[in-house]
Amino acid sequence: MDSKVLLLMCLPAVAFFVVFNYAPLPGIWIAFTNFNYRDGIFGSPFVGLQNFEFLIRSGQLWLLTRNTILYNLAFIVLGNILQISLAIMLNEIRMKYFKKVAQTLMFLPYFISVVLIGVIAFNLLNYDTGALNALIVQTGGDPIKIYSIAGAWPFIIVLVHLWQSTGYGSIVYFAAIMGIDKSLFEAAAIDGASAWQRIRYIILPSLKPTFIILLLFSLGGIMHGNFGLFWNLVGNNATLYQTTDIIETAVYRMVMSQNNFTTSTAVGLYQSIFGFTLVMLANWFVRRMNKDYALF
Amino acid sequence: MRRRTVKAAAAVAAFGMSVAALAACSGGGDGGGGGEGGAPTEITMLVLGDKPTNGRLEAMLEQLNERLIEQANATLDLYYIEWADWQTQYNVQLLSGDDNVDLITTATDWLFAWENAEKGAFLPLSPEMLQEFAPQTWEQVDSEGHWEVTKLDDGEIYFIPEDNFTQWTNHGFFYRGDWATQAGFPDGEITEFEDFTTYFQWVKDNVPDAYPWDVAGANEAALTGYLQGHTDLQTLQQVSAGNYYPFHTSESDPDTVTSWYMEGDELLEAAELAQEWNEMGVWREDALNYDGDTREQLYAGLSGVDQHHTQTFTGGVYDNLSTKQPGSDPRFFYWGQENGNYFRDILTHGAMAVSANSSNPEKALEVYELIRNDEECYRLLNFGIEGTDYIVTDDGFLDFPEGYDSSTDSLGANFWGGRMDEFELPRVTDAPNKQELFDQLDADAKDYPYSTLLINKDPIDPILAAMGSVFSEYIPQLQYGKFADPEAAIAEMRQKLLDAGYEDALASVQADLDAWAQNQG
């Protein structure tokens, strides 16, 4: 009886995934064809792996994969550390009013469109009229050509990403902290535990399952960069590609200018298979360490 | 997205001939209706542009449809692919295969007509069908032998060319005659690409607020402008790698495929000139990330040049610049002016196809016949309603009524697939030297020799995609002079193109060209 209601509640989510994620799966076939409208997806001639060839031919596969993974690792590791610290700090704040205001302020950047962020960054950082360079010139320095320094951009991008996502991401951890059994804290207080000890021995261990689940989820998306952010910050600035080009931006450029549905599907498939393998590996690894923490 | 807006703006400028501009998305017609005598058949025409919201389009269509019902028992509705993301949307719309569109605006050089014809989006049009339902169109195109440029190698006609409409979409610099005069050019006339160095330097020294050339985003105008004027190479329009057209032939050797990116020293010379310009501060240091409206900067006196089509200059820039900057004496320098290396527009820069999924292809042709050949229909669709959308002055010029504001009042029907010279009127906003400029262009222009050449890209697609990504890395940096050592950068780019399979692609294109040349006899 109970499970019926629960299943019913699942239905919208299940329907969503069936319609948008499972039903289109057969369309992957397009990645292996020389597609034409007349013959359709399944009638078009089969060309094997030809659509994957360009990734290797352009000599970029390694660079793109490397950039994508390194950025995501930075996002995941730094992001989670910051989010957890932030959630703990929020939890320690006793002044309700301040807590609410601080939370809201940190939450806000999440709602700013990346398009705007791109514009703001350009107006802060550009050489001719940027605020940063204006400040440097005013104080007697030489302006910096930030949009020509490839080495600076990993820092800028990671920083902007963290600024945008940390407040939002800390909510999950904050909620998890709220869910910790209060009697643990009471017992700790009676035993004379300091604030540090409470964090070290109660909060952090309680956050571990949440952390692992979030980690597993984000590993699945490790091949998927934050396209909007990268595209709006870097755009067509080829000077920065060496350190900023990720699979999505490279593919976007190719597809936008060539309208090639087959190669873009091929790249999407490559990303997904890589991500799938990674999740399976990570999950296997977690399960070996502690069965309860594994996703499946 | 922001970038799309920019692209949209650029696209409007690029393809919005004359004052026609802006227009959005209307629901497709249901295509129903009976034959003659029954309810009128609704024909939907796909056009490019933003759908206008000022009500003028609807008012015009109402009048146009009265006439269409009378003449062909049909009505016309427009379906807009808007400028935001049009390149993707256009192909996706054709790909989706629904039957709500009957007529499709297309073009071989910017709207993927060959690709879509090959992929089966267009209905093959038999001569009998054309003769029966669009006899005047058939006659006019046939009399000039122009059906040849609309056929795939199966010998079928896939679209109707806009072959009787003169336009010049070759590129060049718009610059200011007053500044050029002060920079020491006799009569303010610049005749060589490199001479712009002098002009730019004068702007830099004398107009501190202006950029000599305020230019935004990735393009390669500084390179192609030089290359066109310093080689006799002609770009093969049929094959692109990303946004770049990698293959060329030369006028002196039209049967051999080469590439100005791979051969010769001219690319290096162009890159060195760009480097010099970059060091002078001709453009913003961060031009690649800048996406402002550079045409407005020109009008505001904040940019020394802007670049685009001859058509853009005569149809809008001249009028706007001379009004907004009195005494600026707008001028135009076109790429290849030095050596006559530029081309007339191809006949399929605009064309009309019938959708393979249209339920009423015959009716669609009848409607097309009328909007192309019936002067009343033509004027309604292209100019609007006389008196409210346009007026004709006593001396026969097209003008706008009192209080008309072209930025909010334009009709925006965007019919770019069958305009006719004989129905066009000179416009009061045209550059006064338009005819002179057109005559000058006509005197030296070359005809694109390869209009009927078909290149099979299937076997080289992966190579082209790979080459496209190499270009997108190097060309923007060469264009803006960003490499400290352009010679080394070009060598590196050439090596990467070779690694990507340039030689194989070249051989494949050469083979197609050979086969075509043989057929031509």
Side-chain angles (χ1 to χ4, degrees), chain A residues 10-163:
Chain A
C10 277
L11 203 61
V14 172
F16 177 89
F17 283 108
V18 168
V19 171
F20 292 105
N21 292 34
Y22 289 97
L25 269 182
I28 289 176
W29 184 248
I30 204 176
F32 304 97
T33 65
N34 176 14
F35 178 67
N36 71 70
Y37 306 158
R38 221 183 337 244
D39 302 328
I41 294 176
F42 300 105
S44 295
F46 178 79
V47 295
L49 294 176
Q50 200 196 45
N51 292 319
F52 294 83
E53 212 183 301
F54 83 99
L55 270 176
I56 298 158
R57 278 192 176 269
S58 65
Q60 286 183 304
L61 186 62
W62 162 240
L63 176 84
L64 294 175
T65 308
R66 184 202 70 181
N67 279 356
T68 311
I69 291 179
L70 285 182
Y71 271 109
N72 272 296
L73 280 180
F75 291 166
I76 294 169
V77 173
L78 292 175
N80 276 295
I81 292 176
L82 272 179
Q83 286 161 13
I84 293 175
S85 332
L86 206 69
I88 293 174
M89 285 192 272
L90 279 172
N91 183 55
E92 296 300 318
I93 293 170
R94 293 284 159 257
M95 223 162 92
K96 209 175 162 190
Y97 180 71
F98 181 78
K99 189 154 123 178
K100 291 275 174 220
V101 172
Q103 221 177 341
T104 311
L105 283 179
M106 284 183 293
F107 210 74
L108 271 183
Y110 184 78
F111 294 103
I112 301 179
S113 142
V114 279
V115 179
L116 277 180
I117 292 176
V119 176
I120 295 171
F122 184 74
N123 283 301
L124 284 177
L125 303 178
N126 85 72
Y127 181 83
D128 298 78
T129 56
L132 181 69
N133 276 320
L135 194 73
I136 293 176
V137 172
Q138 288 290 323
T139 50
D142 288 326
I144 311 168
K145 296 178 176 175
I146 300 171
Y147 279 90
S148 306
I149 306 172
W153 284 84
F155 296 99
I156 296 173
I157 290 174
V158 170
L159 197 76
V160 173
H161 176 87
L162 293 178
W163 168 75

Side-chain angles (χ1 to χ4, degrees), chain A residues 34-35 37-38 127 237 258, chain B residues 95 116 119 242 286 289 458:
Chain A
N34 176 14
F35 178 67
Y37 306 158
R38 221 183 337 244
Y127 181 83
N237 189 341
Q258 301 210 318
Chain B
L95 165 84
N116 283 309
K119 286 178 180 168
D286 302 325
N289 284 81
D458 288 346

Side-chain angles (χ1 to χ4, degrees), chain A residues 5 39 73 77 97 183 187 210 212 223:
Chain A
V5 177
D39 302 328
L73 280 180
V77 173
Y97 180 71
S183 59
T210 316
I212 289 174
M223 290 291 282

Side-chain angles (χ1 to χ4, degrees), chain B residues 448-514:
Chain B
Y448 182 61
Y450 309 107
S451 278
T452 55
L453 167 66
L454 290 175
I455 288 174
N456 178 13
K457 278 168 279 188
D458 288 346
I460 54 172
D461 250 343
I463 300 178
L464 292 175
M467 284 171 64
S469 68
V470 175
F471 284 131
S472 72
E473 184 183 345
Y474 285 89
I475 298 297
Q477 298 192 72
L478 290 170
Q479 136 86 17
Y480 287 111
K482 294 299 182 193
F483 287 114
D485 182 355
E487 193 170 1
I490 290 172
E492 205 176 288
M493 177 181 85
R494 286 177 171 169
Q495 188 54 47
K496 282 195 185 179
L497 288 170
L498 286 173
D499 296 344
Y502 167 78
E503 297 283 0
D504 295 342
L506 181 77
S508 174
V509 173
Q510 181 68 59
D512 287 341
L513 184 71
D514 291 345

Side-chain angles (χ1 to χ4, degrees), chain B residues 143-194:
Chain B
S143 67
E144 294 165 74
H146 290 163
W147 289 118
E148 284 313 307
V149 301
T150 67
K151 291 179 182 172
L152 280 183
D153 50 10
D154 58 5
E156 302 267 17
I157 295 167
Y158 279 93
F159 37 82
I160 305 165
E162 186 179 69
D163 63 335
N164 193 27
F165 179 69
T166 310
Q167 55 182 340
W168 288 95
T169 57
N170 60 323
H171 282 252
F173 274 138
F174 316 139
Y175 64 98
R176 299 179 55 151
D178 57 343
W179 290 359
T181 308
Q182 294 179 63
F185 291 95
D187 191 34
E189 195 68 33
I190 304 178
T191 51
E192 304 259 334
F193 192 80
E194 299 93 310

